[in-house]
Amino acid sequence: MCGIIGYLGGKPAKNILIDGLKKLEYRGYDSAGICVLEKGGFIINKKVGPVASLEKALKQEKIEGVIGIAHTRWATHGVPSERNAHPHFDCQHEITVVHNGIIENYQALKKILIKEGHQFSSETDSEVLAHLIEKFYRGNLETAVSKALALIEGSYGLVALSVKENKLVAARRSSPLLLGIGKHETFIASDIPALLKYTKRVVYLKDGDLAIIDAKGYKIKNLNGQKMDRQVEDVKMSAAQIEKKGFKHFMLKEVFEQPQSLNNLLSGRVKDNKIKLSVKVGPKDFEKIIIVACGTSWHSALIGKYLIEEIARIPVEVDYASEFRYRQPLIKLTDLIIAISQSGETADTLAALREAEKQGAKTLGIVNVVGSTMTREVGSGIYLHAGPEIGVASTKAFSSQVGALLLFALYLKQEKHEKLDPRLLADLKRLPAIVEQTLKVDKEVKKIALKFKNTDHFLYLGRGLNFPVALEGALKLKEISYIHAEGYPAAEIKHGPIALIDEKMPVVFIATKNDLSEKIISNMQEVKARGGKIIAVVDQDYGYIAKLADYLIKVPVVNKLFSPIVNVIPLQLLAYHIADRKGLNVDKPRNLAKSVTVE
Ligand code: M6R
């Protein structure tokens, strides 16, 4: 969950590295650091806080060196501080390293190194790497890194630099790294956005790869020194795609991008009254589905359960990936494990997937980030093609995940030789336009948000397919506005949460019309009777609800199966406007990072 950028070429490295760090801040942003090799020595700068602080500190510095590495950090071992910020060094300042991941055996290694006379200056696990590489260094950085990594347990994406050689050595195990190939220059980064301004030609490193970059170009080997062939790929994403496009925050831009992201998802996949997916599994290959995911992706998994069970009549279990991986799950060869992840790098979801693969189950990934670790490990998958999601709060990835699960449910039904309703498919094609129309609620939701910016608690209630939408609305609000919020299936309130209701408790009801509407209305009456403030998301026949609710948010009428995609939009906007009104850092909420690549 930190960001790495490295450069070796003919231009001064400083500005390229700072620029790359800015594009990576969404991966971690509590401190940042840079090291440039100049005249046989390291020029090092680190700052706590955003990359802008580092940039400011370096503005007047004339640094001409053409080789360097930099890092933006999200603390795991040791508090955010200059000492703990990367790059890390050995005692003589001859080796420097930036590292993402976790060195699990760092304490044991540190003990040995201290006995041998090494002095440590940080509390991080990563610093061990610099000392270990220095210990093995005999004039060849590549050999020293390989020897050091042979002793490491855990995960790493790292780049090392020695004062004695004009080269960078990078290595990857369970933490993404890719090379950017320029003209007489090579970049190395943990994520594509850091490179896009300079090149679109990239090489994804695989686990176990060691990349050696020098003035002649790059070589990729494994840790035993054998040459590895890796393809150069062209990145389709444009630099403009990752700009804010005039919106105040990435999150708001991404909410408004949902018509486009859904269009990307559906494009070419609903054709001639058929669902076309290039997945390698069908209903004959498994008896049960288990979906594993975390956070927002777990909420879409819960909706997936409703969709697949209702449409394809195949049983589905949903589990938090972090629980699944450690509870000795009962996995059968006849199970299909679906992993859902925006980033494709979430440590717990990857671990759950690996556990399932170890036990011989078939796997499928529903992933947004192309080329991410998950997409390389999974049996087959459905890409969301939602484009980069920079805001830490996931929005467009959620609607696309639900859309992908809907496509998969329909696909399973079709592959069972059951007829798909052509009207449903036609409606599905119109979904992006309906979402565009739904976004018009923004003005109304903004007004409502103003009234609730000083509220301490919120409840979100929904039923059926819209129960997970309630969970998602509550998660959005708490992560960006720091207001305590909980989601429940509406019928559950009388089993406890109703005790919380008084005139200070706003309750958001997802009350679009369905078979359970009558029941939702009686839950509303219960809340009203206790003075709770009701915000209701409605679509049609809401006359009676209008009498009970303090605020109505009207969304278009859609097929019940699409309702989570439409109904989540006002909830995303409500969270956004409350957080914005509170003056909070919406795109980078405190204590959170975009992709959680450690446990
Ligand atoms: O990249 P993933 O979808 O695997 O990420 C899972 C969660 O970390 C993520 O959804 C998180 O809950 C978001 N901050 C929610 O907005």
Side-chain angles (χ1 to χ4, degrees):
M1 49 188 61
C2 309
I4 287 178
I5 169 90
Y7 175 78
L8 189 152
K11 300 177 197 134
K14 182 188 93 176
N15 288 346
I16 294 171
L17 296 176
I18 293 288
D19 197 57
L21 285 184
K22 285 198 214 154
K23 298 282 187 303
L24 293 177
E25 268 196 301
Y26 67 96
R27 283 187 64 93
Y29 39 81
D30 62 39
S31 53
I34 181 171
C35 172
V36 175
L37 180 61
E38 190 170 277
K39 296 181 192 142
F42 289 143
I43 301 178
I44 309 147
N45 273 282
K46 300 182 188 188
K47 281 276 167 279
V48 175
V51 175
S53 317
L54 182 67
E55 185 180 27
K56 196 165 159 212
L58 289 175
K59 205 157 200 155
Q60 307 306 330
E61 303 271 336
K62 201 162 169 2
I63 303 172
E64 302 288 348
V66 295
I67 307 177
I69 55 178
H71 188 270
T72 170
R73 178 171 187 256
W74 187 81
T76 55
H77 292 69
V79 294
S81 67
E82 283 185 20
R83 272 169 5 106
N84 288 337
H86 299 222
H88 289 291
F89 302 87
D90 67 303
C91 330
Q92 276 79 38
H93 275 210
E94 292 192 343
I95 301 288
T96 177
V97 176
V98 286
H99 165 238
N100 286 352
I102 287 189
I103 309 300
E104 285 165 9
N105 57 340
Y106 84 101
Q107 269 163 329
L109 291 169
K110 191 167 173 176
K111 238 187 200 164
I112 299 169
L113 287 161
I114 289 173
K115 260 198 190 152
E116 291 175 358
H118 290 257
Q119 284 171 0
F120 281 73
S121 48
S122 79
E123 302 148 84
T124 66
D125 53 335
S126 307
E127 190 186 350
V128 155
L129 288 165
H131 292 270
L132 262 189
I133 296 170
E134 190 270 338
K135 170 182 156 99
F136 292 119
Y137 189 77
R138 302 281 181 277
N140 186 327
L141 186 60
E142 178 189 333
T143 313
V145 171
S146 305
K147 285 191 176 166
L149 293 183
L151 300 178
I152 294 294
E153 287 165 24
S155 57
Y156 50 78
L158 67 88
V159 190
L161 176 59
S162 154
V163 273
K164 298 190 179 148
E165 293 176 76
N166 289 339
K167 66 161 80 150
L168 295 172
V169 175
R172 165 193 168 135
R173 187 205 280 165
S174 301
S175 189
L177 269 188
L178 64 152
L179 303 181
I181 316 301
K183 212 172 173 195
H184 311 302
E185 58 187 359
T186 310
F187 305 79
I188 176 118
S190 50
D191 292 75
I192 291 175
L195 312 175
L196 271 187
K197 190 168 157 191
Y198 307 100
T199 181
K200 294 202 164 189
R201 301 182 66 230
V202 303
V203 176
Y204 294 100
L205 297 187
K206 290 195 173 161
D207 277 355
D209 283 355
L210 194 77
I212 304 102
I213 301 160
D214 61 19
K216 286 188 235 138
Y218 69 92
K219 277 181 256 162
I220 301 175
K221 300 182 178 177
N222 64 17
L223 293 184
N224 300 322
Q226 284 166 310
K227 215 171 152 252
M228 306 305 289
D229 269 338
R230 299 281 175 253
Q231 260 190 328
V232 179
E233 296 178 34
D234 280 324
V235 179
K236 300 280 182 292
M237 214 161 38
S238 72
Q241 268 180 287
I242 53 172
E243 298 301 330
K244 284 190 205 148
K245 288 187 187 153
F247 285 95
K248 187 170 174 192
H249 293 99
F250 280 111
M251 180 184 170
L252 191 61
K253 172 178 89 80
E254 287 154 11
V255 168
F256 274 84
E257 272 172 356
Q258 289 175 102
Q260 183 59 50
S261 50
L262 286 163
N263 205 34
N264 296 352
L265 174 84
L266 298 172
S267 142
R269 287 168 167 159
V270 190
K271 224 172 161 186
D272 308 327
N273 286 331
K274 282 211 146 52
I275 302 293
K276 315 234 171 189
L277 291 179
S278 48
V279 294
K280 294 189 190 137
V281 283
K284 284 201 200 96
D285 301 317
F286 52 87
E287 286 167 8
K288 188 183 78 188
I289 295 174
I290 304 175
I291 314 184
V292 290
C294 304
T296 284
S297 300
W298 182 77
H299 296 155
S300 66
L302 291 178
I303 297 171
K305 174 181 167 68
Y306 282 90
L307 292 172
I308 296 170
E309 289 188 345
E310 178 163 337
I311 297 171
R313 309 302 294 157
I314 293 173
V316 181
E317 276 176 26
V318 176
D319 212 340
Y320 282 116
S322 53
E323 290 299 311
F324 181 85
R325 66 182 287 195
Y326 286 118
R327 71 169 167 79
Q328 298 180 312
L330 293 170
I331 304 171
K332 289 194 189 154
L333 296 178
T334 50
D335 289 339
L336 170 70
I337 311 296
I338 302 183
I340 306 182
S341 174
Q342 187 286 130
S343 60
E345 303 291 350
T346 300
D348 282 323
T349 313
L350 280 170
L353 186 69
R354 286 171 186 154
E355 179 62 34
E357 272 166 354
K358 205 167 82 193
Q359 296 199 35
K362 288 162 199 70
T363 59
L364 182 100
I366 296 183
V367 181
N368 188 35
V369 178
V370 177
S372 57
T373 306
M374 200 171 292
T375 63
R376 284 150 195 271
E377 295 192 4
V378 89
S380 64
I382 306 173
Y383 271 130
L384 303 180
H385 300 310
E389 193 181 64
I390 308 291
V392 165
S394 189
T395 51
K396 61 177 179 174
F398 173 79
S399 49
S400 290
Q401 287 166 348
V402 175
L405 287 156
L406 179 59
L407 285 175
F408 189 58
L410 292 167
Y411 173 81
L412 292 175
K413 183 176 166 94
Q414 165 186 295
E415 297 304 297
K416 282 168 86 183
H417 305 293
E418 290 173 27
K419 197 168 162 21
L420 300 183
D421 178 355
R423 279 171 312 176
L424 179 79
L425 297 187
D427 285 350
L428 184 54
K429 281 187 173 173
R430 280 197 291 276
L431 188 57
I434 293 167
V435 167
E436 184 84 65
Q437 209 186 322
T438 311
L439 285 163
K440 293 195 180 130
V441 297
D442 187 44
K443 260 195 186 155
E444 190 55 34
V445 173
K446 199 170 173 179
K447 279 192 218 150
I448 299 173
L450 271 181
K451 315 255 181 210
F452 292 100
K453 74 179 176 81
N454 297 321
T455 303
D456 292 326
H457 308 277
F458 254 90
L459 265 185
Y460 287 73
L461 303 176
R463 295 204 67 158
L465 278 164
N466 284 306
F467 153 54
V469 176
L471 293 178
E472 176 60 7
L475 177 64
K476 286 290 88 82
L477 187 71
K478 62 188 138 192
E479 66 182 335
I480 61 170
S481 75
Y482 317 146
I483 292 174
H484 169 235
E486 294 192 56
Y488 275 97
E492 270 296 302
I493 55 162
K494 50 187 158 310
H495 299 289
I498 201 163
L500 294 169
I501 310 263
D502 61 16
E503 58 291 342
K504 285 200 221 103
M505 176 65 91
V507 184
V508 179
F509 278 91
I510 298 120
T512 48
K513 190 141 172 79
N514 61 30
D515 317 339
L516 296 169
S517 290
E518 291 306 315
K519 297 189 188 298
I520 277 268
I521 289 173
S522 63
N523 296 138
M524 252 181 224
Q525 279 161 332
E526 286 157 9
V527 168
K528 186 81 188 167
R530 285 153 185 88
K533 293 271 164 301
I534 297 177
I535 302 168
V537 178
V538 293
D539 55 355
Q540 55 179 318
D541 302 335
Y542 52 80
Y544 190 63
I545 297 179
K547 286 190 193 137
L548 293 173
D550 298 273
Y551 304 94
L552 280 186
I553 302 174
K554 294 177 208 155
V555 295
V557 179
V558 286
N559 185 304
K560 166 189 106 173
L561 299 172
F562 313 156
S563 64
I565 293 177
V566 166
N567 292 346
V568 79
I569 288 171
L571 309 192
Q572 293 169 341
L573 288 167
L574 184 66
Y576 171 79
H577 288 300
I578 290 179
D580 185 39
R581 275 283 147 179
K582 289 179 84 175
L584 297 170
N585 192 346
V586 173
D587 284 333
K588 293 172 190 163
R590 69 184 181 202
N591 308 337
L592 289 174
K594 182 64 186 162
S595 103
V596 186
T597 52
V598 292
E599 276 191 71

